[in-house]
Amino acid sequence: MKFIFADSLDYVDPAFDFIADRSAAERQPYWDDAYPHEILGYAPYDGVLVSKGIVGDHRVKGKYTASQARRFELVGVRKFLRLDKPQFAHLDIFGDCGAFTYASEAKPPYSPAEIAEFYDECGFTHGCSVDHIIFDFNSSDAGMEGGSNDAKDRFEITLENADNFRREALSIGAAFTPMGVVQGWSPGSMAEAARRLVGMGYDYLALGGMVPLKSPEIKLCLAAIREVVPASTRLHILGFAKADDIDSFHSYDIASFDTTSPLIRAFKDAKQNYYLPGPDARLRYFTSIRVPQAIENPRLQRSVKRGVLRAEDLIAMEAAALKALRAYDRGEADLEETLHNVMVYTAPLAEEKPYEDCHATVGMMKLAERYRATLAAKPWKECSCSICEHASVDVIIFRGSNRNKRRGIHNLAVYKNHIERLDLKRAVI
Ligand SMILES: [Zn+2]
């Protein structure tokens, strides 16, 4: 089972100064920063997925700057992602259209011919057909029952595009493997889409629209599809947000899936921010310790404006929290003293809503308990990845993109190892 990382320019500054809390003034992000496979010294994934919608162009505003998008098309995906070295030659590079970026439009802005050309010219190894997201989902609709008119339109557009896309790929002698995207509003309609895609000649299908679905719903779709396609048909799950549940999917014979989940959870999850391998091929999770930048945090700044806090006190509390964490890491401060310093700084944050990415109802007591568990375990000392070795306690501090994304990249490494352990466990069974 291949773990494909959906890239969205997730690089960090390898020279970031944690003590001064800044990058060098002359740093140029894309050129000087390091992708996960650069900072770790190996690829923590079996491949990378790049969405056309993330690259962007004059029709769809992507995440790349105009000059990055130009460079991408000029040098190709492998060189752009700096995966053009022999040790990365085995990695797959998947492309899709990023249907979420044009989901509100009546039709996809791209034609199958131009997307086939885009994948081919940029050197992708696998390319998904031009799909259109269906938002409705009803697991109890049988067969082709149900589905709004809009869902049915999108269903037909996706299949018609898939047929044209495969023909285009063949006619230009494309080197990439074409993948037919399945869109539907129910397990039955997805199975019908899969049956038609196989009929067109596809032997690798990608299930789209999975992001909002829960694991049991995804399993219903996979089961319905598996019933109608040959055993040799490979299945990919696009945007698999339930990546940590992957073990429970093993009977569906998934060839590959893409996700950003281990990276994103480092800074979007309320509790599970730092991964470590656990017993019985499970993952263990730790809550990272929030020490936001006093001068940049809007909630703290509101407290200052309202006169609840003085800016200089806030900065002193922030410095004390960071100093305590570093002293604790060196064995020069005890746990309770460290936790106290962190919580003193956390209190004003929790007075409004706790933090941007946490639930408002999280109590200070519960949070302190989670922080206590993290500090007691010192999980960053258990990891030998180059990020944890270098950043030490800073990897667990929830503060700015250089720490948060480093923690996310560490999670990718743990997750890749988790997938390998699961594959091994199954091979033994
Ligand atoms: Zn690590």
Side-chain angles (χ1 to χ4, degrees), residues 175-195:
F176 67 84
T177 302
M179 297 169 71
V181 180
V182 173
Q183 288 283 355
W185 59 86
S186 61
S189 59
M190 286 193 188
E192 173 60 12
R195 193 189 61 76

Side-chain angles (χ1 to χ4, degrees), residues 274 383 385 388 410:
Y274 181 91
C383 183
C385 86
C388 297
H410 149 91

Side-chain angles (χ1 to χ4, degrees), residues 40 274-276 379-380 382-389 395 406-407 409-411 413-414:
L40 287 169
Y274 181 91
Y275 291 26
L276 272 187
W380 62 93
E382 276 186 50
C383 183
S384 59
C385 86
S386 62
I387 287 175
C388 297
E389 292 227 311
V395 77
R406 267 180 174 74
R407 186 167 56 257
I409 295 170
H410 149 91
N411 288 349
V414 174

Side-chain angles (χ1 to χ4, degrees), residues 97-99 102 108 129-133 157-158 161 181-183 208-209 238:
C97 290
Y102 53 81
S129 58
V130 183
D131 62 324
H132 211 17
I133 286 186
I157 288 170
T158 299
N161 278 346
V181 180
V182 173
Q183 288 283 355
L238 283 165

Side-chain angles (χ1 to χ4, degrees), residues 309 314 317 320-321 338-349 364:
L309 280 166
L314 202 57
M317 282 149 67
T338 306
L339 185 60
H340 171 77
N341 276 299
V342 168
M343 296 312 289
V344 164
Y345 182 55
T346 305
L349 281 165
M364 289 284 283

